[in-house]
Amino acid sequence: MRERLPLVMGNWKMNPVSASDALALATGVRDATRALAGVEVGVAPPYVWVPAVCDFLRGSHVAVGAQDLHEREDGAYTGGVSAAMLRGLVRYAIVGHSEVRRERGDTDARVNAKLKRALAAGILPLLCVGEPLEVRSAGDAAAFVRAQVRAAFADVSASDAARVVIAYEPIWAIGTGVPATGPAARETVAAVRAELLDRYDRELAQTARVLYGGSVTADTIDEFARQSGIDGALVGGASLRAADFARIAELVAEARR
Ligand code: PGA
């Protein structure tokens, strides 16, 4: 069975403000993670810095991701960036991030369409799922997240599904400084895998990479990295400081040894 190589992906969101700062951050991440083994490292800059960061990191060990993509192939979609435009540039594209679901109204159906566009273009989707606080409080987190996974994988073949990375990101933990607990994250990630088992098979459920995201820092990552079934992290705020981000990746790699 395929080994699950952990992934630590930095979601830079709407940062940094200049191209030179973006390249400085990319340089810092590349240099600070160069010696790490047993973990894949990636950065997802805003679209406008993607070509420069891709040029800069080409041939290095750091993967580049886009933070989103448009669900249509082409056409009159102002502000849109298509999978075809990203093809050949990025290895990953984040789809279904809760901020995009919230701010731009992405539905499960649109997330499914984006995921399929990425796959068709040879880009690995990094699918985000996660429940709001009221769902967690009501004890329905597992069912909520399973439904998001089910919808995102609608009409996706098993061979395509094997190329998707999933990030479990409880909405209430994103950017709040209050991460989930390790056991709660492990349980919900197990629910994600249970859904993959129902929808596909044991092999996929066991080999899919599933990350945790939400207020991950160098101080909090260990709790998640040591949970069975969690294969790294999607990191927002702490990914803007190369040394912190590299430390997170190092701790993820260490937890696997
Ligand atoms: P955070 O963001 O690490 O700043 O909480 C995580 C994310 O939104 O992917």
Side-chain angles (χ1 to χ4, degrees):
M1 224 173 255
R2 185 163 57 109
E3 273 282 307
R4 304 195 315 251
L5 179 66
L7 170 65
V8 175
M9 173 64 78
N11 176 8
W12 292 0
K13 307 195 180 182
M14 205 161 71
N15 304 284
V17 78
S18 71
S20 58
D21 285 352
L23 291 179
L25 182 54
T27 305
V29 168
R30 182 197 60 189
D31 294 350
T33 58
R34 205 191 295 275
L36 295 183
V39 60
E40 184 183 5
V41 173
V43 295
Y47 285 138
V48 69
W49 312 137
V50 162
V53 170
C54 284
D55 279 352
F56 180 73
L57 292 175
R58 189 161 294 124
S60 82
H61 64 283
V62 182
V64 180
Q67 294 179 15
D68 194 14
L69 80 172
H70 201 277
E71 71 273 22
R72 300 291 172 87
E73 196 168 353
D74 54 26
Y77 302 104
T78 303
V81 172
S82 71
M85 294 169 186
L86 294 167
R87 186 206 315 259
L89 277 176
V90 299
R91 176 169 166 79
Y92 292 98
I94 298 172
V95 297
H97 193 283
S98 61
E99 287 158 8
V100 180
R101 292 182 194 251
R102 182 189 69 213
E103 309 248 328
R104 278 171 256 153
D106 271 19
T107 57
D108 280 342
R110 200 185 285 168
V111 171
N112 171 248
K114 289 181 172 186
L115 185 131
K116 288 192 280 202
R117 283 281 176 223
L119 287 167
I123 296 167
L124 305 180
L126 204 171
L127 166 70
C128 298
V129 296
E131 80 288 352
L133 187 58
E134 61 275 17
V135 169
R136 160 90 21 203
S137 307
D140 297 332
F144 184 93
V145 164
R146 283 186 70 147
Q148 284 184 322
V149 171
R150 197 176 314 128
F153 281 91
D155 303 316
V156 174
S157 69
S159 60
D160 273 347
R163 296 192 290 136
V164 179
V165 178
I166 301 173
Y168 166 57
E169 297 206 302
I171 295 172
W172 45 272
I174 295 176
T176 58
V178 183
T181 64
R186 183 186 61 224
E187 254 179 49
T188 318
V189 165
V192 168
R193 294 189 187 280
E195 188 57 39
L196 294 175
L197 177 64
D198 272 10
R199 170 75 181 76
Y200 298 100
D201 56 25
R202 220 166 83 88
E203 161 132 22
L204 192 79
Q206 289 184 359
T207 58
R209 290 192 289 174
V210 186
L211 318 181
Y212 168 77
S215 296
V216 166
T217 64
D219 295 329
T220 61
I221 184 60
D222 208 46
E223 166 149 17
F224 301 102
R226 294 193 180 277
Q227 301 293 338
S228 70
I230 298 183
D231 306 313
L234 181 58
V235 185
S239 74
L240 299 175
R241 296 179 300 273
D244 290 358
F245 183 67
R247 180 71 184 139
I248 291 168
E250 188 182 345
L251 289 166
V252 165
E254 261 173 32
R256 279 296 166 99
R257 273 188 222 122

